[in-house]
Structure formats: C-alpha cells, structure tokens
C-alpha cells in the first residue's frame, strides 16, 4: 500500500500557488553498497569543508557560480525555520549512532559555474512512523533556509490497526511496518548520513507493546526509533509548515490530523515575528483521536449522515475540554487569520477539489481553499458511498474507509475556529525534523551557502 507522498519529485515547499516550481529534484550519486544491517539511530559525524580564501576576482567568480546554483534551487525545499534550533530535552534528542558513519567528502570551493556534487553536501534524514504511515525523507541543504530532497519513501502500513479495541499492536500490522522500515534502513545505510532523527508517534506511544515492537524494529530493520511526546509532535508539525505562513499573517490554527491522534497548535503573530514559527505557539493540544481510531469506533466503510454527525460531536466534546482554545479570539475575525492543515485528510480534500486525475503534490501543497469550497468537498464525500470513494484517484482503496473520519475531525476544528480560508500543506513532521537538524548543525551559517 503505497502512499501518494511523492518525495523526490516534490517541488519547492512554501512556494505560492502563483509561482509553482517545475521539474524533479536531482537524484543523489555515490551510494555505498553491501553494508551490513546494523542498529542505526542516525547521528553521524562528518568534518567541515575547508573553504579557501581567494582574491577579489576569484570571489566574484564564486559569486556568479552561486547564482547559477540558486537558479537550479527551484527544485529545493524551503526549510521552515532558519536559525539554530533550540536545545531539545535529552529524552527527545536523537541518539548517537552506535555505528560510526563515514565522513562526508570535503567540498571544493565554487568557481565560475561549478556546483558541488550532491554527495559532497552533508546528508540529513527524517523518518516518521505513525499510526497509519511510514515515511522517510532524505535531503541535503542548499541555499540559506532551503534543502533539496534526494530520496524519499512513503507507505501506508496501518500500524495502529486494532489498537483502539485491543490496546496492543497487532501482529500483521507490526509485520507490515517492519517490512517498510527495512526498506528505510537500506536507504539510510546506503548513504553517508550526517544526522538523522527517527521518530515514532501515537501508535507506539499508547500501545502496551509499543516498546517491545521498537526492540523488534532494531533487531530486524537495524533502526533505533525514539517515541516522541505529543508536545514535540505538535512543535515539529509547526516547524515543518513555517514557510506556508505569510509575513502579514496575524494568527493561525495549525492542525495535523493523524491516524491515532490529532495535534492542534494556536499561533499568535500579532507581535514581533521571529524567524522560528514554533516560538509563537500560545496554546496547543493533542487529541487522542485520529482517522484510524475514529473509523474503528464508528465504522469507515458505511457512514451515514447520522454516523458522520456523531463522529463530529465526539471530537467536538474533546475540543470543548481544551482550555486554551480561546487564545486567538482577538484575531479570529481578521482576514489575516486562517487555518493550516497538514494531513492526508486535507490533501485528499484538495485533490478532490481540483478534480485531479492523479494526485499531484505540486498542485496541492500550499493550495488555498475558501470556506465554501471546503463545505462543498466535505458534503460531496459524505454523499459518496464506499465504492465511489474508492474510485476517486485521490482517495483510493487505502483511504476510502478513513477519509470521512478525517473530515469529521476537520469539521469539529472548523466549528471552534471558523475561518474564511484554509491552506493545505503536504508536509509536516519530516520537514520539521530536517529543518531543525540542519539549523542545529549550522549548515546555513556560512553566508547563506550550504556548508559541507
């Protein structure tokens, strides 16, 4: 079951709909082959490149060379936050790799039109094992605040299947996840990774056998994953979407509808805005309900209007218990307030709205939808039966029994924070992890150039 996350073919993240990028990102070269499977937690080390000092004329040549490099960065991803990341508590920090990783080759200084081969740039990776999906993103830094995706993997594994009823991860679900993680492990071991963060979220947080499962992952896939708490998950989602919040925005409610939980962050931008969007979170909550858990409780294949209303009310009750829900009341009526959704639910709605014959991340990520458009799409999906949902190319069999549960969560959120506009983000935790890793490593500190 492959997800419709495109990864390597993804365009520049954060570009407005008025200026879509074009063309796929360049693949990486210089893979290592035949490396044995060993436990890997992803904090490799590599030496800094030695940048030579040249005469003024040579500096001018290098400057022209950077312009050539910048034009090709239309395929790069804009990292959501550029300053060095704030220290992460020890319990949440990536663990140093028990296997020494080979050093990154030193980059030659740019001269004329020279562009450093991608294998000379430090490589970073982010893996997110959620309740529904297993996703990997591998990237190299480019211009200041940007990175280029060089490899990606995404698969629907439904790790949390049956968790609501049993409180434990089921054997078939764990088997699916391990097989996907083996692929991720191979991808990581075949590259010279400087740093990575490999996380697990709600399913492993709540399952009685979550830690036991991660021990199995380490043995069989050679990957050491960390279970992050809900606050960290909310912060990473915000970090991953920072470049979609425009400069004149006054307030945002960012939500990430997951498989087993839904993170919501209230962001107040009425004061002085720092480059790091996560610094402006004034309130947040993590609802212990997602598309998988809600669909398992109410049913996902046959959803009548009465069942849909009951799902909405179930989420609404949880939101009414959220004490910080009114922290943006002073900007709710402003045209500079909007919702920002990052999840399969909102990307699916956007794909149906655009009537896409095949899901296209370049058209979905960053898309604005007005209130009436969202209303129409939710109404359309509620009116479809299961086979109609399966037949839609942006839903398909993998999501047909989950999409209405996601719409119910979305409707409950919209009722609490009504907005004329919703921005769609096909990005999230992995992009947030990458931006924080790169900023913390200082790869953008050398006058805006990616530092090898």
């Amino acid at each position: 079951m492959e997800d419709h996350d495109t990864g390597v073919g993804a365009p520049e993240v954060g570009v407005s709909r008025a200026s879509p990028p074009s063309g796929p990102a360049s693949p990486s070269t210089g893979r290592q082959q035949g490396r044995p499977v060993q436990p890997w937690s992803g904090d490799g080390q590599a030496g800094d490149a030695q940048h030579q000092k040249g005469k003024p004329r040579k500096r001018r040549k290098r400057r022209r060379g950077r312009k050539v490099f910048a034009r090709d960065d239309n395929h790069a991803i804009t990292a959501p936050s550029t300053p060095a990341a704030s220290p992460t508590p020890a319990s949440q920090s990536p663990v140093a790799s028990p296997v020494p990783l080979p050093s990154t080759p030193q980059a030659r200084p740019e001269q004329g039109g020279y562009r450093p081969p991608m294998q000379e740039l430090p490589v970073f990776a982010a893996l997110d094992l959620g309740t529904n999906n297993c996703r990997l993103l591998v990237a190299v830094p480019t211009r200041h605040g940007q990175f280029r995706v060089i490899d990606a993997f995404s698969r629907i594994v439904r790790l949390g299947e049956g968790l609501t009823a049993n409180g434990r991860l089921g054997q078939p679900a764990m088997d699916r996840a391990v097989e996907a993680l083996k692929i991720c492990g191979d991808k990581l071991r075949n590259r010279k990774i400087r740093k990575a963060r490999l996380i697990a979220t709600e399913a492993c947080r709540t399952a009685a056998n979550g830690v036991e499962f991660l021990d199995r992952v380490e043995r069989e896939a050679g990957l050491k994953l960390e279970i992050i708490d809900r606050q960290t998950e909310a912060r990473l989602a915000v970090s991953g979407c920072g470049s979609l919040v425009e400069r004149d925005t006054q307030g945002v409610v960012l939500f990430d509808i997951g498989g087993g939980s839904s993170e919501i962050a209230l962001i107040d931008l009425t004061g002085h805005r720092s480059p790091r969007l996560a610094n402006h979170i004034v309130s947040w909550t993590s609802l212990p309900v997602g598309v998988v858990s809600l669909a398992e409780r109410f049913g996902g294949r046959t959803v009548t209007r009465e069942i849909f209303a009951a799902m909405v009310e179930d989420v609404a009750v949880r939101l009414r218990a959220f004490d910080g829900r009114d922290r943006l009341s002073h900007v709710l009526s402003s045209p500079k307030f909007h919702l920002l959704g990052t999840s399969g639910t909102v990307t699916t709605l956007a794909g149906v709205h655009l009537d896409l014959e095949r899901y296209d991340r370049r058209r979905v990520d960053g898309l604005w939808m007005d209130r009436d458009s969202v209303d129409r799409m939710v109404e359309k999906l509620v009116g479809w039966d299961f086979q109609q949902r399966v037949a839609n190319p942006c839903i398909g069999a993998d999501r047909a029994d989950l999409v209405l549960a996601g719409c119910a969560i979305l409707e409950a959120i919209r009722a609490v924070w009504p907005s004329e506009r919703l921005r769609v983000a096909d990005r999230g935790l992995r992009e947030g992890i990458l931006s924080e890793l790169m900023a913390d490593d200082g790869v953008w500190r050398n006058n805006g150039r990616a530092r090898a």
Side-chain angles (χ1 to χ4, degrees), residues 36-42 96-100 189 217-219 221-224:
V37 174
Q38 302 180 57
W40 196 92
S41 57
S97 172
V99 180
R189 280 181 290 271
V217 169
E218 185 172 353
R219 290 192 310 271
L223 298 176
K224 186 174 180 62

Side-chain angles (χ1 to χ4, degrees), residues 51 69 121-122 140-144 146 443-444 446 448-452:
H51 297 289
F69 186 56
L121 295 172
V140 294
T142 56
R143 295 191 305 167
H144 189 79
Q146 296 185 352
V443 296
W444 293 313
N446 187 22
R449 286 177 55 190
R451 179 174 61 82

Side-chain angles (χ1 to χ4, degrees), residues 32-349:
Q32 292 183 323
Q33 300 296 333
R35 190 169 176 182
V37 174
Q38 302 180 57
W40 196 92
S41 57
D43 189 10
Q45 300 295 327
D48 294 345
Q50 300 298 319
H51 297 289
Q52 301 177 4
K53 294 183 179 180
K55 296 180 180 180
R57 183 177 180 181
K58 291 186 178 180
R59 283 200 298 271
R60 286 196 294 271
K61 287 182 179 179
R62 289 198 295 273
R63 194 172 297 117
R64 287 196 294 271
R66 286 199 298 276
K67 289 180 180 178
V68 174
F69 186 56
R71 282 200 298 271
D72 196 47
D73 272 343
N74 283 334
H75 312 313
I77 289 180
T78 302
S81 54
T82 57
S86 56
T88 305
S91 61
Q92 300 170 7
S93 299
V95 182
S97 172
V99 180
L101 298 176
S103 298
T104 302
Q106 291 185 346
R108 290 163 50 194
E110 291 183 54
Q111 294 184 5
Y114 173 75
R115 174 181 175 181
M118 203 168 298
Q119 69 267 25
E120 295 185 8
L121 295 172
V123 180
F124 297 81
L127 186 148
D128 169 24
L129 178 63
T131 303
N132 198 43
N133 298 280
C134 174
R135 290 174 170 170
L136 171 71
L137 210 58
V138 183
V140 294
T142 56
R143 295 191 305 167
H144 189 79
Q146 296 185 352
F147 54 81
R148 179 187 301 277
V149 176
I150 60 173
D151 201 0
F153 174 80
S154 185
R155 179 176 291 179
I156 294 174
V157 296
R158 297 204 179 198
L159 177 61
E161 188 174 62
L163 177 60
T164 302
N166 304 319
R168 296 178 62 85
L169 302 176
Q171 191 64 44
M174 290 190 291
D175 292 343
R176 290 192 299 266
V178 168
E179 289 306 308
L181 288 166
K182 286 179 180 178
I183 298 173
C184 295
D186 289 341
K187 286 178 174 288
L188 290 171
R189 280 181 290 271
N190 286 337
R191 293 187 183 275
K192 297 178 181 179
I193 305 293
R194 174 175 284 187
K195 286 185 178 179
R197 192 170 189 185
L198 319 177
I199 66 169
T201 56
E202 185 68 12
C204 293
R205 268 197 303 259
T206 59
N209 58 340
V211 174
E212 176 186 335
F213 166 67
L214 292 188
D215 289 340
R216 177 188 169 188
V217 169
E218 185 172 353
R219 290 192 310 271
E220 298 184 21
L223 298 176
K224 186 174 180 62
L225 276 62
E226 59 166 325
I227 300 175
I228 61 170
D229 59 35
R230 289 171 175 159
Q231 183 174 8
T232 301
E233 186 173 356
R235 190 199 77 234
L236 289 173
V238 172
S239 295
C241 297
S243 57
L244 289 182
V245 178
E246 297 174 346
R247 296 298 303 176
D248 63 345
T249 304
Q250 293 183 343
V252 174
V253 172
L254 183 146
F255 59 91
D256 182 358
I257 301 173
S261 66
S262 297
E263 279 62 49
I264 302 171
L266 278 61
I267 303 167
D268 188 345
L269 297 166
T270 54
H272 175 71
R273 179 170 175 175
S274 73
R276 190 177 181 84
L277 188 66
N279 290 342
H280 298 278
I281 298 174
V282 293
S283 186
W284 71 277
T285 188
S286 179
L287 306 180
V289 61
V291 296
V292 175
S293 56
L294 196 63
E296 286 187 348
R297 285 195 291 117
F298 286 89
R301 293 177 65 93
T302 302
V303 181
T304 64
R305 293 187 180 276
E306 291 74 21
I307 292 175
F308 184 77
M311 286 195 288
V312 174
E313 178 59 22
D314 181 271
V315 182
V317 168
R318 301 173 191 273
L319 284 174
R320 285 196 285 271
F322 172 32
D323 292 336
R325 66 185 182 277
D326 297 325
R327 294 291 300 275
L328 288 181
S329 58
H330 57 294
V331 298
L332 287 184
S333 60
S334 170
K336 296 181 179 180
F337 164 80
H338 67 86
L339 300 178
L340 177 56
T342 167
S343 68
T345 296
V346 292
T347 57
T348 297
L349 277 178

Side-chain angles (χ1 to χ4, degrees), residues 344-371:
T345 296
V346 292
T347 57
T348 297
L349 277 178
V352 176
H353 168 66
L354 294 172
D355 197 22
L356 298 178
E357 294 182 0
R358 181 181 179 183
Y359 184 83
D360 186 349
R361 183 185 188 277
R362 294 171 297 177
R363 296 186 61 187
V364 169
D365 185 57
L367 178 74
W368 288 102
M369 294 181 66
D370 60 31
R371 180 200 297 264

